[in-house]
């Protein structure tokens, strides 16, 4: 783990292809390396910050900071990633601790007024006018970030901001750690789990008295809420799920929201949302509010229709099972009847369908599609050093040049203590090294798909296939970007655009040709029957209204907490559930305390999922749907225009290049089953 030497190495250097990451660190090494990393990084900041005004140059200021950022990012990721994936509790704990220390250090460095001053001096020099475009963007970004940290404000204010930022980073880590480490389970008899398939029941651990343990992790929670026909079981699980870490996270959330508002105010913003949104495509909380309100208004009639259908299904089910009918839709009924809509109205039997999606077949098909579409070649590395035996490592080459562009890890199954969602982690940024050679990009996809059992392979639900395709889209964004600076590598684009490339690729799991390539019956080897395939594709429209209204509820909760002081999360969530979704929240629960995004870098930005879908649908329908979804030329255009720049360009410029015109909202609205009116663009376009 040598510090960067700055020596010039020739282009044949193995460093170019090197994956610098290692996963065999002990808890003690993690602690020590975190301390060493901060020490040597600080030396660079000290050196930059002590430059005389006349001496300040691109080399000794901007480039020095960029170079240390590359090394710092790689090592920081290596130290803080194990908290999400290591099978050893003490390593996860050490990694969490390291993350807290490094986050504190990040705050310290981001608040270096002396360093900021040197960058301002550099910008004032004539030399800065001749910088290359990306270096210029880097310079401007550093100044912007400096101002967003209040470095142009009096020292006293800066100290306040610094103290708040430090507290915030610790609170965020704790909030999500509480959720990840939650080991709550509920014991049920087989009868209480009626409706769930055999393979699910067989995969459950047992209590000493023979009951089946249902945890609150996704592979238990979602299938149960969708398939269990015993309402009382669903009620218990839904209530527990939305009460996870209620006490501790409720306190953390309150503090987070208060501190964010205080910081925004010190920096001269009306609200935390406005502070955050300044850097996004949306620019202001008013634009976001308008976007969400208009969409909610448009979707409302659809939601009403869907609720009526669900209520009717519930009435019939209650008659059939001899249950009392309460004439309302409860939170624990939603997924169950939404699933029934798919099964009855669209006749998609998810349990039958998943027999066609064994993990191995999906993985092979998915990887092949991505390789073909983006002009890439993947190789599985045998005996790669990884953090758990389930994990695989692949090398990625550009097919036409044969050049290695990166590597990715796949970590697909749940484990105790592992990160509970599906996500892509950038580990080594693809960017230029101090000697101007290129560092390959390394990323990891972490997910929690159903694990194989001795009797059955891992069979994926169709929505899991969609998640797989989505997250892998982020992996490709990380790998295909060829920015010069680590700050602009991979998915470092505007936060409300970051989902667009992955969302666009989700479309492939709703099209016949790619679906056939990703599926085969796990016993017979037969393809999905045509009829089932047609039904599946049609079912994309199922529950669109309710699903999107729920997304709007979450986005509005997030906006409310970050625009109104003293908003009560439970009250806000309950009110929006009633108003927007028309389904009440379960009394006694606290969904916002389980809403990891609020502490996971999505604060005031959850709307981004819907916002970026506007662009994802536009890209898909304008180019791929017109010119062929497996058309390699469009695939390469996509790689070059959208993935290649990383964050080195504004998203709106990339979009214009790829689309050949300004973006439009039409395809997005049509995908929601809504009538298209002209002039309904998000105002940022
Ligand atoms: Zn995503």
């Amino acid at each position: 783990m040598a510090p960067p030497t700055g020596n010039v190495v020739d282009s044949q250097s193995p460093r170019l292809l090197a994956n610098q990451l290692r996963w065999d660190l002990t808890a003690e090494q993690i602690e020590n390396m975190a301390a060493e990393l901060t020490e040597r990084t600080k030396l660079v900041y000290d050196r930059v910050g002590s430059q005389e005004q006349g001496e300040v140059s691109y080399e000794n200021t901007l480039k020095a900071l960029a170079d240390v950022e590359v090394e710092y990012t790689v090592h920081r990721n290596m130290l803080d990633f194990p908290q999400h994936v290591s099978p050893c509790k003490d390593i996860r704990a050490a990694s969490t601790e390291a993350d807290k220390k490094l986050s504190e250090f990040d705050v310290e460095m981001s608040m270096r007024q002396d360093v900021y001053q040197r960058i301002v001096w550099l910008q004032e020099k004539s030399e800065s006018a001749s910088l290359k475009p990306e270096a210029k963007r880097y310079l401007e970004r550093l100044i912007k970030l400096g101002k967003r940290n209040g470095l142009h404000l009096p020292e006293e204010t800066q100290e306040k901001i610094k103290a708040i930022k430090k507290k915030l980073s610790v609170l965020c880590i704790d909030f999500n750690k509480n959720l990840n480490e939650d080991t709550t389970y509920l014991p049920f008899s087989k009868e209480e789990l009626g409706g769930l398939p055999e393979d699910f029941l067989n995969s459950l651990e047992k209590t000493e008295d023979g009951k089946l343990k249902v945890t609150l992790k996704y592979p238990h929670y979602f299938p149960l809420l969708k398939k269990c026909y015993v309402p009382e079981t669903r009620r218990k699980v839904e209530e527990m799920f939305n009460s996870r870490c209620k006490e501790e996270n409720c306190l953390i959330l309150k503090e987070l929201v208060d501190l964010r508002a205080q910081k925004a105010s010190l920096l001269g913003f009306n609200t935390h949302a406005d502070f955050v949104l300044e850097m996004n495509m949306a620019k202001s909380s008013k634009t976001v509010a308008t976007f969400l309100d208009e969409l909610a208004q448009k979707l409302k009639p659809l939601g009403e229709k869907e609720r009526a259908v669900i209520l009717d299904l519930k009435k019939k089910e209650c008659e059939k099972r001899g249950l009392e009918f309460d004439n309302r839709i409860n939170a624990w009924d939603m997924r169950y009847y939404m699933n029934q809509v798919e099964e009855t109205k669209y006749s998609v039997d998810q349990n039958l369908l998943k027999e066609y999606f064994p993990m191995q077949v999906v993985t092979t098909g998915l990887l092949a599609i991505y390789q073909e579409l983006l002009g890439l070649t993947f190789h599985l590395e045998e005996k790669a050093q990884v953090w758990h035996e389930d994990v695989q490592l692949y090398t990625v080459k550009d097919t036409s040049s044969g050049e290695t562009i990166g590597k990715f890890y796949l970590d697909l199954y749940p484990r105790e203590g592992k990160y509970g969602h599906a996500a892509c982690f950038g580990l080594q940024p693809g960017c230029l090294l101090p000697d101007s050679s290129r560092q390959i990009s390394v990323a990891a996809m972490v997910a929690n798909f159903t694990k194989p059992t001795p009797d059955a392979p891992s069979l994926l639900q169709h929505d899991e296939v969609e998640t797989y395709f989505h997250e892998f889209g982020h992996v490709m964004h990380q790998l295909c970007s060829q920015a010069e600076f680590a700050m602009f590598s991979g998915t470092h684009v505007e936060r409300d655009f970051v989902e667009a490339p992955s969302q666009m690729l989700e479309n492939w799991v709703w099209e016949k040709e790619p679906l056939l390539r990703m599926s085969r019956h796990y016993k017979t080897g037969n393809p999905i029957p045509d009829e089932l395939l047609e039904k599946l594709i049609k079912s994309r429209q199922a529950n669109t209204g309710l699903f999107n209204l729920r997304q709007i509820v979450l986005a509005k909760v997030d906006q409310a907490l970050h625009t109104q002081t003293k908003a009560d999360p439970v009250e806000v969530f309950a009110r929006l559930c009633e108003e927007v979704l028309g389904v009440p929240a379960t009394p006694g629960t606290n969904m916002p305390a389980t809403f990891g995004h609020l502490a996971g870098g999505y604060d005031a930005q959850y709307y981004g999922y819907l916002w970026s879908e506007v662009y994802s649908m536009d890209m898909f329908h304008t180019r791929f749907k017109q010119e062929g979804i497996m058309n390699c030329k469009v695939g390469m255009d996509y790689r070059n225009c959208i993935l290649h720049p990383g964050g080195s360009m504004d998203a709106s410029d990339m979009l214009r290049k790829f689309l050949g015109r300004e973006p439009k909202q039409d395809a997005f609205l049509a995908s929601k089953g809504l009538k298209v009116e002209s002039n309904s663009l998000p105002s940022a376009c």
Side-chain angles (χ1 to χ4, degrees), residues 238 328-332 334 573-574 577-578 581-587 589:
E238 194 269 342
R328 51 180 267 175
I329 302 165
N330 302 302
W332 59 90
M334 280 276 283
F573 180 70
C577 279
E578 283 284 0
L581 189 61
V583 176
T586 305
T589 59

Side-chain angles (χ1 to χ4, degrees), residues 470-471 474 499 502 602 609:
H470 175 101
E471 295 306 334
H474 289 310
E499 295 299 331
S502 288
Y602 277 80
Y609 283 101

Side-chain angles (χ1 to χ4, degrees), residues 24 58 135 167 174 179 185 194 211 251 287 292 311 337 341 352 358 361 379 419 468 495 533 579 581 604 633 641:
D24 55 354
Y58 170 72
K167 274 194 215 156
D174 283 342
L179 292 170
Y185 68 86
K211 293 236 175 158
L251 293 174
T287 313
L292 293 173
L311 202 59
Y337 290 104
V341 168
L352 173 65
V361 175
H379 292 282
Y419 181 76
Y468 200 166
R495 202 60 201 241
L533 204 56
E579 271 175 27
L581 189 61
K633 182 181 171 298
C641 300

